[in-house]
Amino acid sequence: MLLRLLLLLPWAACEVKIPTVEIAKGVQMPVMSIGIGGLERSNASEIVANWINQGGRGIDTALIYQDQQVVPEELAKAGIDRKDVFITTKIPSCIVPSVKFSIESDLKLLKTDYIDLLLIHDPIGDCPKAWSILEDYHRQGVLRAIGISNFNASQVDTLMKTAKVTPAVNQIELNVLEYDAEALERSKQLNITVEAYSPVGRSGHSGDIRDNQVIKSIAAKHSVSTYQVALKWILQHDNVITFQSSSAEHQAQDADVFRFQLTDEDMKALDQLHGNSTGGVRPILV
Ligand SMILES: NC(=O)c1ccc[n+]([C@@H]2O[C@H](COP(=O)([O-])OP(=O)(O)OC[C@H]3O[C@@H](n4cnc5c(N)ncnc54)[C@H](OP(=O)(O)O)[C@@H]3O)[C@@H](O)[C@H]2O)c1
Ligand SMILES: *[C@@H]1O[C@H](CO)[C@@H](O)[C@H](O)[C@H]1NC(C)=O
Ligand SMILES: *[C@@H]1O[C@H](CO)[C@@H](O)[C@H](O)[C@H]1NC(C)=O
Ligand SMILES: *[C@@H]1O[C@H](CO)[C@@H](O)[C@H](O)[C@H]1NC(C)=O
Ligand SMILES: *[C@@H]1O[C@H](CO)[C@@H](O)[C@H](O)[C@H]1NC(C)=O
């Protein structure tokens, strides 16, 4: 009995429990999803396994990542039902002749008959027309929620002129150093949930979040890491997150941001870091 208790303790200590938010009528999305894009695509199996085995339920993938097949594989290995996870995937663009084919490919690769949230990865092509195809799938219940990614304010405005369904989510680059403030504002005004990608700056890509002095002092005050502060700042501004880590320990630490609260003063200091990025362009294939 005692032995069992001791064996259970380390797991109990790192159990991941992520709250959800309503992104569309009747659709609850975890506020943090693990991402399997970018340079780490070769680790996709390990990333998903580590996440779902410690309780994570949101997964972010895309057709261009070429790794969607690991999702059903790892769910089967872990004995977790499809309906108990929230899968976000994407179609590459608004290029109309490829829209149906891309959606059908996502469904096949994920071995599922529905997708929780499907995003248009990039606003390239005829987005109003592409959106109407997504709306058809949404009406049929194949796509529970539909959204966009990398849309700036004017691209959102163009889409909204003809959209019958408001995008549930706009997934954009958003971290304490780097974001398009106008895209963020416009999305919020339209009640489009903003989902941050590269929320911890993608290992230095958006500048040095880990060793930033302002973030460090706030982290020390709350006895958390700079990663946790960077993530909490996003959540406390009512946005959701897709983040990436191969390591089960890092994943657990990053998910452990629901037992502390940043003060108004902390939030103001962090807001002022916008523009302090030393980063460059968006990484390839993410
Ligand atoms: N829609 C789009 O166009 C788009 C673009 C980019 C990304 N995304 C999505 O967003 C996801 C996340 O973004 P991202 O991968 O660019 O960047 P990110 O989540 O900001 O950064 C990931 C990096 O941070 C490190 N990290 C995370 N937590 C850590 C911790 N506690 N301690 C130390 N290191 C830590 C990870 O290393 P370790 O593995 O060593 O922990 C990894 O190298 C992607 O996987 C993808 O699904 C979408
Ligand atoms: C915004 O959208 C969410 C999800 O559909 C909904 O729960 C909420 O009531 C909406 N808020 C406003 C102000 O319309
Ligand atoms: C894949 O995961 C291993 C083990 O966590 C790590 O050492 C390696 O750096 C990761 N590869 C990439 C490309 O992130
Ligand atoms: C949005 O992006 C397009 C294409 O890059 C650009 O022409 C336009 O000026 C941008 N608009 C805003 C408001 O950023
Ligand atoms: C950078 O951060 C400082 C506060 O630490 C702030 O005063 C400044 O406006 C920020 N932006 C730029 C572009 O330097």
Side-chain angles (χ1 to χ4, degrees):
M1 185 60 199
L2 184 64
L3 183 65
R4 267 186 66 188
L5 193 65
L6 285 173
L7 283 171
L8 282 171
L9 274 175
W11 296 106
C14 69
E15 175 133 315
V16 165
K17 277 204 190 76
I18 307 290
T20 63
V21 67
E22 186 177 62
I23 55 158
K25 206 167 180 295
V27 182
Q28 291 284 333
M29 178 181 187
V31 299
M32 294 178 81
S33 293
I34 202 74
I36 51 175
L39 303 170
E40 300 80 7
R41 285 177 302 137
S42 54
N43 277 358
S45 300
E46 180 194 347
I47 294 169
V48 171
N50 284 340
W51 184 237
I52 60 180
N53 283 322
Q54 57 187 338
R57 290 297 176 262
I59 302 165
D60 181 86
T61 182
L63 189 59
I64 64 168
Y65 300 166
Q66 301 179 319
D67 61 8
Q68 296 187 87
Q69 68 285 352
V70 312
V71 177
E73 279 167 22
E74 295 307 322
L75 288 177
K77 279 191 215 159
I80 295 168
D81 274 0
R82 162 70 184 93
K83 65 167 172 34
D84 292 330
V85 292
F86 187 101
I87 302 177
T88 301
T89 191
K90 314 183 190 86
I91 61 168
S93 71
C94 300
I95 296 169
V96 172
S98 70
V99 168
K100 268 192 174 207
F101 177 77
S102 297
I103 296 172
E104 297 295 336
S105 301
D106 284 340
L107 288 162
K108 266 200 208 98
L109 289 163
L110 290 165
K111 293 198 167 69
T112 183
D113 55 8
Y114 74 94
I115 286 160
D116 298 284
L117 173 62
L118 183 116
L119 308 176
I120 298 174
H121 212 143
D122 271 297
I124 298 164
D126 183 351
C127 291
K129 180 77 185 89
W131 190 250
S132 71
I133 302 172
L134 266 62
E135 288 175 330
D136 288 342
Y137 275 89
H138 178 250
R139 206 173 300 121
Q140 291 159 29
V142 179
L143 306 178
R144 293 182 66 217
I146 52 179
I148 54 184
S149 180
N150 296 306
F151 277 52
N152 69 25
S154 42
Q155 289 156 338
V156 170
D157 288 341
T158 303
L159 189 69
M160 288 302 288
K161 281 186 191 143
T162 53
K164 295 191 189 79
V165 177
T166 299
V169 163
N170 188 8
Q171 184 182 105
I172 56 176
E173 180 175 4
L174 168 58
N175 60 62
V176 63
L177 300 182
E178 178 90 18
Y179 53 95
D180 174 347
E182 203 188 347
L184 183 73
E185 258 329 290
R186 187 63 44 86
S187 302
K188 284 176 171 292
Q189 281 162 4
L190 294 165
N191 197 22
I192 299 171
T193 298
V194 173
E195 179 173 20
Y197 75 67
S198 304
V200 296
R202 202 179 171 76
S203 276
H205 199 91
S206 299
D208 195 358
I209 290 178
R210 187 188 62 184
D211 296 319
N212 180 287
Q213 284 309 325
V214 175
I215 306 176
K216 262 180 139 171
S217 69
I218 294 171
K221 200 173 73 181
H222 293 276
S223 304
V224 297
S225 72
T226 49
Y227 293 95
Q228 288 168 302
V229 169
L231 293 162
K232 187 67 176 185
W233 173 80
I234 296 169
L235 295 172
Q236 242 175 267
H237 274 305
D238 292 327
N239 308 301
V240 303
I241 288 174
T242 177
F243 76 106
Q244 196 279 319
S245 173
S246 299
S247 131
E249 290 73 23
H250 291 174
Q251 290 181 1
Q253 181 194 97
D254 292 352
D256 182 19
V257 286
F258 302 100
R259 62 181 168 81
F260 71 97
Q261 194 76 4
L262 299 171
T263 65
D264 291 348
E265 214 173 63
D266 297 336
M267 290 297 281
K268 266 189 213 124
L270 293 166
D271 288 345
Q272 279 178 12
L273 297 179
H274 183 214
N276 279 272
S277 167
T278 56
V281 293
R282 182 178 145 206
I284 293 166
L285 276 179
V286 289

